[in-house]
Coordinates of all heavy atoms in Angstrom, one line a residue:
M1 N 54.4 60.6 -20.3 CA 53.2 60.7 -21.0 C 52.2 61.4 -20.0 O 52.0 61.0 -18.9 CB 52.7 59.3 -21.4 CG 51.3 59.3 -22.0 SD 50.5 57.7 -22.4 CE 51.7 56.5 -22.2
I2 N 51.5 62.4 -20.5 CA 50.5 63.1 -19.7 C 49.4 62.2 -19.3 O 48.9 61.4 -20.1 CB 50.0 64.4 -20.5 CG1 49.2 65.3 -19.6 CG2 49.2 64.0 -21.7 CD1 48.9 66.6 -20.1
G3 N 49.0 62.3 -18.1 CA 47.9 61.4 -17.6 C 48.3 60.0 -17.2 O 47.4 59.2 -16.8
H4 N 49.6 59.7 -17.4 CA 50.0 58.4 -17.1 C 50.0 58.1 -15.6 O 50.4 58.8 -14.8 CB 51.5 58.2 -17.6 CG 52.1 56.9 -17.2 ND1 52.0 55.8 -18.0 CD2 52.9 56.5 -16.2 CE1 52.7 54.8 -17.5 NE2 53.2 55.2 -16.3
L5 N 49.4 56.9 -15.3 CA 49.3 56.5 -13.9 C 50.2 55.2 -13.8 O 50.1 54.3 -14.7 CB 47.9 56.1 -13.4 CG 46.9 57.3 -13.4 CD1 45.5 56.7 -13.1 CD2 47.3 58.3 -12.4
S6 N 51.0 55.1 -12.8 CA 51.8 53.9 -12.6 C 51.0 52.7 -12.3 O 49.8 52.8 -11.8 CB 52.8 54.2 -11.5 OG 52.2 54.2 -10.2
A7 N 51.6 51.5 -12.5 CA 50.9 50.3 -12.2 C 50.6 50.2 -10.7 O 49.5 49.8 -10.3 CB 51.7 49.1 -12.6
A8 N 51.4 50.8 -9.9 CA 51.2 50.8 -8.4 C 50.0 51.7 -8.1 O 49.2 51.4 -7.2 CB 52.5 51.3 -7.7
A9 N 49.9 52.8 -8.7 CA 48.8 53.8 -8.5 C 47.5 53.1 -8.9 O 46.5 53.2 -8.2 CB 49.0 55.1 -9.2
I10 N 47.5 52.4 -10.0 CA 46.3 51.7 -10.5 C 45.9 50.6 -9.5 O 44.7 50.5 -9.1 CB 46.5 51.2 -11.9 CG1 46.6 52.4 -12.9 CG2 45.3 50.3 -12.3 CD1 47.1 52.0 -14.2
A11 N 46.9 49.8 -9.0 CA 46.6 48.7 -8.1 C 46.1 49.3 -6.8 O 45.1 48.8 -6.2 CB 47.9 47.9 -7.8
A12 N 46.6 50.4 -6.3 CA 46.1 51.1 -5.1 C 44.7 51.5 -5.3 O 43.9 51.4 -4.3 CB 47.0 52.3 -4.7
Q13 N 44.3 52.0 -6.4 CA 42.9 52.5 -6.7 C 42.0 51.3 -6.7 O 40.9 51.4 -6.1 CB 42.8 53.3 -8.0 CG 41.5 53.9 -8.2 CD 41.1 54.9 -7.0 OE1 41.9 55.8 -6.7 NE2 39.9 54.7 -6.4
I14 N 42.4 50.2 -7.3 CA 41.5 49.0 -7.2 C 41.3 48.5 -5.8 O 40.2 48.2 -5.4 CB 42.2 47.8 -8.1 CG1 42.3 48.2 -9.6 CG2 41.4 46.5 -7.9 CD1 40.9 48.5 -10.3
T15 N 42.4 48.6 -5.0 CA 42.3 48.2 -3.6 C 41.3 49.1 -2.9 O 40.5 48.7 -2.1 CB 43.7 48.2 -2.9 OG1 44.5 47.3 -3.5 CG2 43.6 48.0 -1.4
A16 N 41.4 50.4 -3.1 CA 40.5 51.4 -2.5 C 39.0 51.2 -2.9 O 38.1 51.3 -2.1 CB 40.9 52.8 -2.9
L17 N 38.8 50.9 -4.2 CA 37.4 50.6 -4.7 C 36.9 49.4 -4.0 O 35.7 49.4 -3.5 CB 37.4 50.3 -6.2 CG 37.6 51.5 -7.1 CD1 37.9 51.1 -8.5 CD2 36.4 52.4 -7.0
N18 N 37.7 48.3 -3.8 CA 37.2 47.1 -3.1 C 37.0 47.4 -1.7 O 36.0 46.9 -1.1 CB 38.2 46.0 -3.3 CG 38.1 45.3 -4.7 OD1 37.0 45.1 -5.2 ND2 39.2 45.0 -5.3
S19 N 37.8 48.2 -1.0 CA 37.6 48.5 0.4 C 36.3 49.3 0.6 O 35.5 49.0 1.5 CB 38.8 49.3 0.9 OG 38.6 49.7 2.2
A20 N 36.1 50.3 -0.3 CA 34.9 51.1 -0.2 C 33.6 50.4 -0.5 O 32.6 50.7 0.1 CB 35.1 52.3 -1.1
S21 N 33.7 49.4 -1.4 CA 32.4 48.7 -1.7 C 32.0 47.7 -0.7 O 30.9 47.1 -0.7 CB 32.6 48.0 -3.1 OG 33.5 46.9 -2.9
Q22 N 32.9 47.4 0.3 CA 32.6 46.5 1.5 C 32.0 45.2 1.0 O 31.0 44.7 1.7 CB 31.7 47.3 2.5 CG 32.3 48.5 3.0 CD 31.4 49.2 4.0 OE1 30.3 48.8 4.3 NE2 31.9 50.3 4.5
G23 N 32.5 44.6 0.0 CA 32.0 43.3 -0.5 C 30.8 43.3 -1.3 O 30.4 42.3 -1.9
M24 N 30.1 44.5 -1.5 CA 29.0 44.5 -2.4 C 29.4 44.3 -3.8 O 28.6 43.8 -4.6 CB 28.2 45.8 -2.2 CG 27.6 46.0 -0.8 SD 26.7 47.5 -0.6 CE 25.4 47.3 -1.8
F25 N 30.6 44.8 -4.2 CA 31.1 44.6 -5.5 C 32.6 44.2 -5.4 O 33.2 44.5 -4.4 CB 31.1 45.9 -6.3 CG 29.8 46.5 -6.5 CD1 29.3 47.5 -5.7 CD2 28.9 46.1 -7.5 CE1 28.1 48.1 -5.8 CE2 27.7 46.6 -7.7 CZ 27.2 47.7 -6.8
V26 N 33.1 43.5 -6.3 CA 34.5 43.1 -6.3 C 35.1 43.6 -7.6 O 34.6 43.3 -8.7 CB 34.7 41.6 -6.2 CG1 36.2 41.2 -6.3 CG2 34.1 41.1 -4.9
F27 N 36.1 44.4 -7.5 CA 36.8 44.9 -8.7 C 38.1 44.1 -8.9 O 38.9 43.9 -8.0 CB 37.1 46.4 -8.5 CG 35.9 47.2 -8.4 CD1 35.3 47.5 -7.1 CD2 35.3 47.8 -9.5 CE1 34.2 48.2 -7.0 CE2 34.1 48.6 -9.3 CZ 33.6 48.8 -8.1
N28 N 38.3 43.7 -10.2 CA 39.6 43.0 -10.6 C 40.1 43.8 -11.8 O 39.4 44.1 -12.7 CB 39.3 41.6 -11.0 CG 38.7 40.8 -9.8 OD1 39.4 40.6 -8.9 ND2 37.5 40.3 -10.0
L29 N 41.4 44.0 -11.8 CA 42.1 44.6 -12.9 C 42.2 43.6 -14.0 O 42.9 42.6 -13.9 CB 43.4 45.2 -12.5 CG 44.2 45.9 -13.6 CD1 43.4 47.1 -14.1 CD2 45.6 46.3 -13.1
A30 N 41.6 43.9 -15.2 CA 41.7 43.0 -16.3 C 42.7 43.4 -17.3 O 43.2 42.6 -18.1 CB 40.3 42.9 -17.0
G31 N 43.2 44.6 -17.2 CA 44.2 45.1 -18.1 C 44.4 46.6 -18.1 O 43.6 47.3 -17.5
I32 N 45.4 47.0 -18.7 CA 45.7 48.5 -18.9 C 46.0 48.7 -20.3 O 46.8 48.0 -21.0 CB 46.9 48.9 -18.0 CG1 46.7 48.6 -16.6 CG2 47.3 50.3 -18.3 CD1 47.9 48.8 -15.7
N33 N 45.3 49.7 -20.9 CA 45.4 50.1 -22.3 C 45.8 51.6 -22.3 O 45.0 52.4 -21.9 CB 44.1 49.9 -23.0 CG 44.1 50.3 -24.5 OD1 45.2 50.6 -25.0 ND2 43.0 50.4 -25.1
R34 N 47.0 51.9 -22.7 CA 47.5 53.3 -22.7 C 47.5 53.9 -24.1 O 48.0 53.2 -25.1 CB 48.9 53.4 -22.1 CG 48.9 52.9 -20.7 CD 50.3 53.1 -20.1 NE 50.6 52.4 -18.9 CZ 50.1 52.9 -17.7 NH1 49.5 54.0 -17.6 NH2 50.4 52.2 -16.6
R35 N 47.0 55.1 -24.3 CA 47.1 55.8 -25.5 C 47.5 57.3 -25.2 O 47.0 57.9 -24.3 CB 45.7 55.9 -26.2 CG 45.2 54.5 -26.6 CD 45.4 54.3 -28.1 NE 44.8 53.0 -28.4 CZ 43.8 52.9 -29.2 NH1 43.1 53.9 -29.6 NH2 43.3 51.7 -29.5
A36 N 48.4 57.8 -25.9 CA 48.8 59.2 -25.8 C 48.0 60.0 -26.8 O 48.2 59.9 -28.0 CB 50.3 59.4 -26.0
N37 N 47.1 60.9 -26.3 CA 46.3 61.7 -27.2 C 45.9 63.0 -26.4 O 45.0 62.9 -25.5 CB 45.1 60.9 -27.7 CG 44.3 61.7 -28.7 OD1 44.1 62.9 -28.5 ND2 43.9 61.1 -29.7
D38 N 46.5 64.1 -26.6 CA 46.3 65.3 -25.8 C 44.8 65.7 -25.9 O 44.2 66.2 -25.0 CB 47.2 66.5 -26.3 CG 48.6 66.2 -25.9 OD1 48.9 65.4 -25.1 OD2 49.5 66.9 -26.5
A39 N 44.2 65.6 -27.1 CA 42.7 65.9 -27.2 C 41.9 65.1 -26.3 O 40.9 65.6 -25.7 CB 42.3 65.8 -28.7
W40 N 42.2 63.8 -26.2 CA 41.4 62.9 -25.4 C 41.6 63.3 -23.9 O 40.7 63.2 -23.1 CB 41.7 61.5 -25.6 CG 41.2 61.0 -26.9 CD1 40.4 61.6 -27.9 CD2 41.5 59.7 -27.5 NE1 40.2 60.8 -28.9 CE2 40.8 59.6 -28.7 CE3 42.2 58.6 -27.1 CZ2 40.9 58.5 -29.6 CZ3 42.3 57.5 -27.9 CH2 41.6 57.4 -29.1
Y41 N 42.9 63.6 -23.6 CA 43.2 63.9 -22.2 C 42.4 65.2 -21.7 O 42.0 65.2 -20.5 CB 44.7 64.1 -22.0 CG 45.1 64.3 -20.5 CD1 44.9 63.2 -19.6 CD2 45.5 65.5 -20.0 CE1 45.2 63.3 -18.3 CE2 45.9 65.6 -18.7 CZ 45.7 64.5 -17.8 OH 46.0 64.7 -16.5
S42 N 42.1 66.1 -22.6 CA 41.4 67.3 -22.2 C 39.9 67.2 -22.6 O 39.2 68.2 -22.6 CB 42.0 68.5 -22.8 OG 42.0 68.4 -24.2
M43 N 39.4 65.9 -22.8 CA 38.0 65.7 -23.2 C 37.1 66.3 -22.1 O 37.4 66.4 -21.0 CB 37.7 64.3 -23.4 CG 37.8 63.4 -22.2 SD 37.4 61.7 -22.7 CE 38.5 60.8 -21.7
K44 N 35.9 66.6 -22.6 CA 34.8 67.1 -21.7 C 33.7 66.1 -21.8 O 33.5 65.5 -22.8 CB 34.4 68.5 -22.2 CG 35.4 69.6 -22.1 CD 34.9 70.9 -22.7 CE 36.0 71.9 -22.6 NZ 37.1 71.7 -23.4
P45 N 32.9 66.0 -20.7 CA 31.8 65.1 -20.6 C 30.8 65.3 -21.8 O 30.5 66.4 -22.1 CB 31.2 65.3 -19.3 CG 32.2 66.0 -18.4 CD 33.1 66.7 -19.4
M46 N 30.4 64.2 -22.4 CA 29.4 64.2 -23.4 C 29.7 64.9 -24.7 O 28.9 65.3 -25.4 CB 28.1 64.7 -22.8 CG 27.6 64.1 -21.5 SD 27.4 62.3 -21.6 CE 26.0 62.1 -22.6
M47 N 31.0 65.2 -24.9 CA 31.4 65.9 -26.1 C 32.1 64.9 -27.1 O 32.4 63.7 -26.7 CB 32.4 67.0 -25.8 CG 31.8 68.1 -24.8 SD 30.3 68.8 -25.5 CE 31.0 69.9 -26.7
G48 N 32.5 65.3 -28.3 CA 33.0 64.5 -29.3 C 34.3 63.8 -28.9 O 34.5 62.6 -29.2
D49 N 35.2 64.4 -28.2 CA 36.5 63.8 -27.8 C 36.2 62.6 -26.9 O 36.9 61.6 -26.9 CB 37.5 64.8 -27.2 CG 38.1 65.7 -28.3 OD1 38.2 65.3 -29.4 OD2 38.5 66.8 -27.9
E50 N 35.3 62.8 -26.0 CA 35.0 61.7 -25.0 C 34.4 60.5 -25.8 O 34.8 59.4 -25.6 CB 33.9 62.2 -24.0 CG 33.6 61.0 -23.0 CD 32.4 61.3 -22.1 OE1 31.6 62.2 -22.4 OE2 32.3 60.6 -21.1
R51 N 33.5 60.8 -26.7 CA 32.9 59.6 -27.5 C 34.0 59.0 -28.3 O 34.1 57.7 -28.4 CB 31.8 60.2 -28.4 CG 30.5 60.4 -27.6 CD 29.4 60.8 -28.5 NE 29.5 62.1 -29.1 CZ 29.1 63.2 -28.5 NH1 28.6 63.2 -27.3 NH2 29.2 64.4 -29.2
A52 N 34.9 59.7 -28.9 CA 36.0 59.2 -29.7 C 36.9 58.3 -28.9 O 37.3 57.2 -29.3 CB 36.8 60.3 -30.4
A53 N 37.3 58.8 -27.7 CA 38.2 58.1 -26.8 C 37.6 56.8 -26.4 O 38.2 55.7 -26.4 CB 38.6 59.0 -25.6
K54 N 36.4 56.9 -25.9 CA 35.7 55.7 -25.4 C 35.4 54.7 -26.5 O 35.5 53.5 -26.3 CB 34.5 56.1 -24.6 CG 34.9 56.8 -23.3 CD 33.6 57.2 -22.5 CE 34.1 57.8 -21.2 NZ 32.9 58.1 -20.4
S55 N 35.1 55.1 -27.7 CA 34.9 54.2 -28.8 C 36.1 53.5 -29.2 O 36.1 52.3 -29.5 CB 34.3 55.0 -30.0 OG 33.0 55.5 -29.8
A56 N 37.3 54.2 -29.1 CA 38.5 53.6 -29.5 C 39.1 52.7 -28.4 O 39.8 51.7 -28.7 CB 39.5 54.6 -29.8
M57 N 38.8 53.0 -27.1 CA 39.5 52.3 -26.1 C 38.7 51.3 -25.2 O 39.2 50.5 -24.5 CB 40.2 53.3 -25.1 CG 41.2 54.2 -25.8 SD 42.0 55.3 -24.7 CE 42.7 54.3 -23.5
R58 N 37.4 51.5 -25.3 CA 36.5 50.6 -24.4 C 36.8 49.2 -24.6 O 36.9 48.7 -25.7 CB 35.1 51.0 -24.7 CG 34.1 50.3 -23.7 CD 32.7 50.7 -24.0 NE 31.8 50.3 -22.9 CZ 31.6 49.1 -22.5 NH1 32.2 48.1 -23.1 NH2 30.8 48.8 -21.5
K59 N 36.8 48.4 -23.5 CA 37.0 47.0 -23.5 C 35.8 46.3 -22.7 O 35.3 46.9 -21.8 CB 38.3 46.6 -22.8 CG 39.5 47.2 -23.5 CD 39.8 46.6 -24.8 CE 41.1 47.1 -25.4 NZ 41.3 46.8 -26.7
G60 N 35.5 45.1 -23.0 CA 34.5 44.3 -22.3 C 33.1 44.6 -22.7 O 32.8 45.1 -23.7
T61 N 32.2 44.2 -21.8 CA 30.8 44.3 -22.0 C 30.2 45.4 -21.1 O 30.9 46.1 -20.4 CB 30.1 42.9 -21.6 OG1 30.2 42.7 -20.1 CG2 30.7 41.8 -22.3
K62 N 28.9 45.5 -21.1 CA 28.3 46.5 -20.2 C 28.5 46.3 -18.7 O 28.3 47.2 -18.0 CB 26.8 46.6 -20.6 CG 26.0 45.4 -20.2 CD 24.5 45.6 -20.6 CE 23.7 44.3 -20.3 NZ 22.3 44.5 -20.6
S63 N 28.9 45.1 -18.4 CA 29.2 44.9 -16.9 C 30.7 45.2 -16.6 O 31.1 45.0 -15.5 CB 28.9 43.5 -16.6 OG 29.7 42.5 -17.2
T64 N 31.5 45.7 -17.6 CA 32.9 46.0 -17.4 C 33.1 47.5 -17.1 O 32.5 48.3 -17.8 CB 33.7 45.6 -18.6 OG1 33.5 44.3 -19.0 CG2 35.2 45.9 -18.4
L65 N 33.8 47.7 -16.0 CA 34.1 49.1 -15.6 C 35.3 49.6 -16.3 O 36.4 49.0 -16.1 CB 34.2 49.3 -14.1 CG 34.7 50.6 -13.6 CD1 33.6 51.7 -13.9 CD2 35.0 50.6 -12.1
N66 N 35.2 50.6 -17.2 CA 36.4 51.2 -17.8 C 36.7 52.5 -17.2 O 35.7 53.3 -16.9 CB 36.1 51.4 -19.3 CG 36.1 50.1 -20.1 OD1 37.1 49.9 -20.9 ND2 35.1 49.3 -20.0
I67 N 37.9 52.8 -16.8 CA 38.3 54.0 -16.2 C 39.3 54.7 -17.1 O 40.3 54.1 -17.6 CB 38.9 53.7 -14.8 CG1 37.9 53.1 -13.9 CG2 39.4 55.1 -14.2 CD1 38.4 52.6 -12.5
Y68 N 39.1 56.0 -17.3 CA 40.0 56.8 -18.1 C 40.5 58.0 -17.3 O 39.8 58.5 -16.5 CB 39.2 57.4 -19.3 CG 38.4 56.4 -20.1 CD1 37.1 56.0 -19.7 CD2 38.9 55.7 -21.2 CE1 36.4 55.0 -20.4 CE2 38.2 54.8 -21.9 CZ 36.9 54.4 -21.5 OH 36.2 53.5 -22.1
T69 N 41.8 58.4 -17.5 CA 42.3 59.6 -16.9 C 42.1 60.8 -17.9 O 42.3 60.6 -19.1 CB 43.8 59.4 -16.5 OG1 44.5 59.1 -17.7 CG2 44.0 58.3 -15.5
A70 N 41.7 61.9 -17.3 CA 41.5 63.1 -18.1 C 41.6 64.3 -17.2 O 41.4 64.2 -16.0 CB 40.1 63.0 -18.8
A71 N 41.9 65.4 -17.8 CA 41.9 66.7 -17.1 C 41.1 67.7 -18.0 O 41.7 68.5 -18.7 CB 43.3 67.2 -16.9
P72 N 39.8 67.6 -17.9 CA 39.0 68.5 -18.7 C 39.1 70.0 -18.3 O 39.2 70.3 -17.2 CB 37.5 68.0 -18.5 CG 37.6 67.3 -17.2 CD 39.0 66.8 -17.1
L73 N 39.2 70.8 -19.3 CA 39.4 72.2 -19.1 C 38.2 73.0 -19.5 O 37.5 72.7 -20.5 CB 40.6 72.8 -19.8 CG 42.0 72.1 -19.6 CD1 43.0 72.6 -20.5 CD2 42.3 72.2 -18.1
D74 N 37.9 74.1 -18.7 CA 36.8 74.9 -19.1 C 37.3 76.0 -20.1 O 38.4 75.9 -20.6 CB 36.1 75.6 -17.9 CG 37.1 76.5 -17.1 OD1 38.1 77.0 -17.7 OD2 36.8 76.8 -16.0
S75 N 36.4 76.9 -20.5 CA 36.7 77.9 -21.5 C 37.9 78.8 -21.1 O 38.5 79.4 -22.0 CB 35.5 78.7 -21.9 OG 35.0 79.4 -20.7
R76 N 38.2 78.9 -19.8 CA 39.3 79.7 -19.4 C 40.6 78.9 -19.2 O 41.6 79.4 -18.8 CB 39.0 80.3 -18.0 CG 37.7 81.3 -18.0 CD 37.3 81.6 -16.7 NE 36.7 80.4 -16.1 CZ 36.8 80.0 -14.8 NH1 37.3 80.9 -13.9 NH2 36.3 78.9 -14.3
G77 N 40.6 77.6 -19.6 CA 41.7 76.8 -19.5 C 42.0 76.3 -18.1 O 43.0 75.8 -17.7
K78 N 40.9 76.3 -17.2 CA 41.0 75.8 -15.9 C 40.3 74.5 -15.7 O 39.3 74.3 -16.4 CB 40.4 76.8 -14.9 CG 40.9 78.2 -15.0 CD 42.2 78.4 -14.2 CE 42.6 79.8 -14.2 NZ 43.9 80.0 -13.6
S79 N 40.8 73.7 -14.9 CA 40.1 72.4 -14.6 C 38.9 72.7 -13.7 O 39.2 73.1 -12.5 CB 41.0 71.4 -14.1 OG 40.4 70.1 -13.9
G80 N 37.7 72.4 -14.1 CA 36.6 72.7 -13.2 C 35.9 71.5 -12.5 O 35.1 71.7 -11.7
I81 N 36.3 70.3 -12.9 CA 35.7 69.1 -12.3 C 36.8 68.1 -12.0 O 37.8 68.1 -12.5 CB 34.6 68.5 -13.2 CG1 35.2 68.0 -14.5 CG2 33.5 69.4 -13.5 CD1 34.3 67.2 -15.4
L82 N 36.5 67.2 -11.0 CA 37.4 66.2 -10.6 C 37.2 64.9 -11.4 O 38.1 64.1 -11.5 CB 37.3 65.9 -9.1 CG 37.6 67.1 -8.2 CD1 37.3 66.7 -6.7 CD2 39.1 67.5 -8.4
G83 N 36.0 64.7 -11.9 CA 35.7 63.5 -12.7 C 34.2 63.4 -13.0 O 33.4 64.2 -12.5
W84 N 33.8 62.4 -13.7 CA 32.4 62.2 -14.0 C 32.2 60.7 -14.4 O 33.1 60.0 -14.6 CB 32.0 63.1 -15.2 CG 32.5 62.7 -16.5 CD1 31.9 61.9 -17.5 CD2 33.7 63.2 -17.1 NE1 32.7 61.9 -18.6 CE2 33.8 62.6 -18.4 CE3 34.8 64.0 -16.7 CZ2 34.9 62.8 -19.3 CZ3 35.8 64.2 -17.6 CH2 35.9 63.6 -18.8
S85 N 31.0 60.3 -14.4 CA 30.6 59.0 -14.7 C 29.3 58.9 -15.5 O 28.6 59.9 -15.5 CB 30.5 58.1 -13.4 OG 29.4 58.6 -12.7
T86 N 29.1 57.8 -16.2 CA 27.9 57.6 -16.9 C 27.2 56.3 -16.4 O 27.9 55.4 -16.0 CB 28.1 57.6 -18.4 OG1 29.1 56.6 -18.7 CG2 28.6 58.9 -18.9
F87 N 25.9 56.2 -16.6 CA 25.3 55.0 -16.2 C 25.5 54.0 -17.3 O 25.7 54.3 -18.5 CB 23.7 55.2 -16.1 CG 23.4 56.0 -14.9 CD1 23.0 57.4 -15.0 CD2 23.4 55.5 -13.6 CE1 22.6 58.1 -13.9 CE2 23.1 56.2 -12.5 CZ 22.6 57.5 -12.7
P88 N 25.6 52.7 -16.9 CA 25.7 51.6 -17.9 C 24.6 51.6 -18.9 O 23.5 52.1 -18.6 CB 25.7 50.3 -17.0 CG 25.9 50.8 -15.6 CD 25.4 52.2 -15.5
S89 N 24.9 51.2 -20.1 CA 23.9 51.1 -21.1 C 24.0 49.7 -21.7 O 24.9 48.9 -21.5 CB 24.0 52.2 -22.1 OG 25.2 51.9 -22.9
S90 N 23.0 49.5 -22.6 CA 23.0 48.2 -23.3 C 23.9 48.1 -24.5 O 24.0 47.1 -25.2 CB 21.6 47.8 -23.7 OG 21.1 48.8 -24.6
K91 N 24.7 49.2 -24.8 CA 25.6 49.3 -25.9 C 26.8 48.5 -25.7 O 27.4 48.4 -24.6 CB 25.9 50.7 -26.3 CG 24.7 51.5 -26.7 CD 25.1 52.9 -27.1 CE 23.8 53.7 -27.5 NZ 24.1 55.0 -27.8

């Protein structure tokens, strides 16, 4: 499956987040939700595919960190960014 991360890779990322936060935040893996959708995998920030993917997959409350894998492509079919984030909201 495109964009698939192994459980070990996810666990390693949680460990890295906890190490980098130096105790200011504690990250715990609450679950993994996998969906195969090529349109979502190539989603672009603030566009329709991003909203659709997050509406369908988001879990938890505004205090829950949801992480998605994606490889957004520019108009030339090249990946132009490594990732993006949004500020928490009351939604």
Side-chain angles (χ1 to χ4, degrees):
M1 174 183 353
I2 191 168
H4 175 87
L5 298 175
S6 69
I10 294 168
Q13 188 58 52
I14 297 296
T15 299
L17 287 168
N18 282 319
S19 178
S21 70
Q22 300 180 358
M24 294 180 66
F25 301 98
V26 177
F27 297 90
N28 296 298
L29 180 61
I32 299 172
N33 179 10
R34 299 186 192 279
R35 299 262 182 106
N37 186 316
D38 291 345
W40 290 354
Y41 187 68
S42 61
M43 67 178 142
K44 295 175 182 66
M46 309 303 288
M47 301 302 284
D49 287 333
E50 179 190 20
R51 285 188 287 276
K54 290 180 177 181
S55 292
M57 295 182 62
R58 188 177 192 298
K59 302 289 184 194
T61 67
K62 63 182 179 178
S63 66
T64 305
L65 176 64
N66 284 255
I67 299 174
Y68 309 87
T69 58
L73 303 176
D74 64 17
S75 60
R76 297 168 293 149
K78 305 277 185 186
S79 181
I81 62 175
L82 296 176
W84 70 94
S85 64
T86 56
F87 289 106
S89 69
S90 60
K91 295 181 182 179

